[in-house]
Amino acid sequence: QPPVRGLRASPRARSAMPSWVIDRYGRNDVLRFTRDMVFPIIHFPNEVIIKVHAASLNPIDLSMRSGYGATALNMKRDPLKLKSADTEFPLTLGRDVSGVVMECGLSVSYFKPGDEVWAAIPPWKQGTLSEFVVASGNEVSFKPKCLSHTEAASLPYVGLTAWSAVNQVGGLNRSNCSGKRVLILGASGGVGTFAVQLVKAWGAHVTAVCSHDASTLMKKLGADDVIDYKSGNLEEQLKTLPLFDFILDNVGGSTEKWALDLLKKWSGATYVTLVTPFLINMDKLGVADGMLQTGVTVGSKTVKHLFRGVHYRWAFFVPSGPSLDEIAELVDSGKIQPVIDQVFSFSEVPKAFLKLEGGHARGKTVIDVISKK
């Protein structure tokens, strides 16, 4: 009776998929390739399943591989503590996806199977280094038409992080950015290369800080001034320039001590840092104390700087389909281009992680998931 067997085989064929997972936190040797990862299921009516064509790596993937933020993320995965401990494994890393919609939940009206889409999946969900991934409809957006999947996969996470910092937290937009002086610290990484192009597209004057070998790239992306942080004292170099209206800090650390003095005082000038104490505080102090401590740190810094006439803010990645729509428009109109350092095949994921760990990338490390080499 072949038909019966056929019926039984089809659900089983779809019950597992190839994926890169980790079973514990640690260094690169924790990455494991499996063909038996559980196939994602639509749990909520607004979800879609995406067949992953390409993914890319971000520093958060290294952090998550090492267990950074595990306390906070597990709380978000299971807020009511319904599951027993250690439910996060096997964990799939990877936040960016460009691919094709396979299935849609009942309330999804924007998308249909076959649509080419891109998204950044938030860190408390299973990631994109996998054949399929599930996402909420409101996290997904139509992929820019002018990009391949490999190119598109390099943008969502860094794009949304920069968008959150510059637009939602920093208050810059198309209509108020013209002629503003913007300083971007750590300009040659993924978020930096995106932010330079974004504020440039909106008409700002951009000063990019990076190492000398990235200066050609910065000029190509439209930066007006490029400062090499290795050639002498960075603080002194920047002090010779006119003051800034906006600073985006991808570097953190001691930079904060002097960088705020580079802002125009009492003019609404803003310093936005992407280096936030939130996840690390939660790991160190536990959830409640971590949130409290973070609130205290940020509150006191904000107040301290307000008295000095500048705004101090911190920003972080926010998943958002509607923001990706706006980013796609900028990409399709030629204002923003992907900056890709290297593309790896799906079998080379550990190699890609090592590349990212080496630092000093010019742009993004991308994984081509579909062409199974």
Side-chain angles (χ1 to χ4, degrees):
Q1 297 169 311
V4 178
R5 280 180 54 189
L7 271 173
R8 296 225 332 257
S10 70
R12 246 188 66 204
R14 303 269 304 204
S15 64
M17 62 176 179
S19 199
W20 281 95
V21 297
I22 61 172
D23 305 298
R24 58 191 164 90
Y25 298 118
R27 299 194 64 76
N28 222 34
D29 55 359
V30 299
L31 290 163
R32 169 175 75 89
F33 179 74
T34 173
R35 299 198 170 277
D36 303 320
M37 187 57 177
V38 184
F39 195 88
I41 327 170
I42 288 179
H43 285 290
F44 299 102
N46 70 332
E47 288 181 328
V48 298
I49 292 178
I50 301 169
K51 182 169 175 57
V52 181
H53 282 239
S56 79
L57 295 185
N58 294 286
I60 187 171
D61 293 305
L62 288 176
S63 309
M64 283 177 69
R65 186 202 67 195
S66 312
Y68 164 91
T71 312
L73 294 173
N74 279 340
M75 188 180 100
K76 183 80 186 180
R77 286 180 187 116
D78 184 16
L80 302 175
K81 297 266 184 293
L82 297 176
K83 302 174 190 154
S84 59
D86 295 332
T87 51
E88 74 259 45
F89 301 119
L91 180 64
T92 307
L93 301 175
R95 308 276 47 103
D96 288 306
V97 56
S98 181
V100 174
V101 175
M102 297 300 289
E103 287 173 45
C104 296
L106 292 173
S107 71
V108 175
S109 54
Y110 279 128
F111 306 105
K112 58 184 190 314
D115 284 343
E116 301 205 325
V117 293
W118 63 343
I121 313 289
W124 53 87
K125 295 188 180 178
Q126 285 290 25
T128 59
L129 294 175
S130 199
E131 191 178 13
F132 295 91
V133 70
V134 72
S136 305
N138 56 1
E139 292 160 358
V140 179
S141 158
F142 290 109
K143 170 181 89 63
K145 294 179 187 55
C146 67
L147 298 185
S148 68
H149 285 295
T150 322
E151 292 170 323
S154 70
L155 287 171
Y157 190 87
V158 293
L160 288 170
T161 304
W163 189 268
S164 152
V166 170
N167 176 268
Q168 278 143 339
V169 175
L172 297 182
N173 58 46
R174 215 175 21 217
S175 55
N176 67 8
C177 213
S178 180
K180 284 210 163 115
R181 288 183 53 79
V182 173
L183 172 65
I184 296 176
L185 300 159
S188 63
V191 175
T193 54
F194 188 95
V196 168
Q197 296 181 82
L198 180 62
V199 291
K200 203 60 218 163
W202 288 342
H205 177 285
V206 180
T207 303
V209 174
C210 55
S211 64
H212 173 69
D213 55 342
S215 61
T216 321
L217 170 65
M218 287 300 116
K219 284 275 192 246
K220 195 181 118 204
L221 297 179
D224 300 277
D225 293 326
V226 182
I227 309 279
D228 172 10
Y229 67 85
K230 290 180 180 155
S231 70
N233 183 322
L234 178 60
E235 187 184 347
E236 298 308 318
Q237 288 187 75
L238 288 168
K239 277 188 175 148
T240 62
L241 300 173
L243 293 170
F244 294 95
D245 300 289
F246 184 89
I247 297 177
L248 176 62
D249 185 358
N250 293 295
V251 181
S254 59
T255 321
E256 235 174 64
K257 294 191 177 57
W258 50 264
L260 282 126
D261 296 330
L262 305 170
L263 287 169
K264 293 178 184 161
K265 304 274 181 288
W266 309 109
S267 68
T270 307
Y271 175 93
V272 177
T273 177
L274 285 164
V275 186
T276 62
F278 181 68
L279 291 174
I280 219 144
N281 277 349
M282 277 176 100
D283 283 346
K284 277 198 199 127
L285 306 164
V287 172
D289 293 344
M291 284 184 154
L292 197 68
Q293 181 60 48
T294 301
V296 170
T297 317
V298 171
S300 59
K301 279 186 178 179
T302 308
V303 170
K304 184 179 95 185
H305 294 307
L306 264 180
F307 281 124
R308 291 168 44 193
V310 296
H311 297 287
Y312 177 96
R313 303 266 187 280
W314 43 288
F316 39 82
F317 161 77
V318 182
S320 163
S323 298
L324 278 176
D325 292 345
E326 297 196 52
I327 290 170
E329 221 173 285
L330 285 162
V331 171
D332 275 331
S333 66
K335 301 240 168 69
I336 287 181
Q337 46 185 297
V339 181
I340 294 173
D341 191 67
Q342 202 173 342
V343 180
F344 291 87
S345 70
F346 195 45
S347 59
E348 299 175 310
V349 163
K351 226 168 158 186
F353 267 87
L354 287 176
K355 168 90 175 81
L356 186 65
E357 222 163 354
H360 299 297
R362 304 282 156 260
K364 292 295 301 285
T365 302
V366 178
I367 313 288
D368 178 354
V369 174
I370 206 134
S371 57
K372 303 267 193 307
K373 287 209 279 288

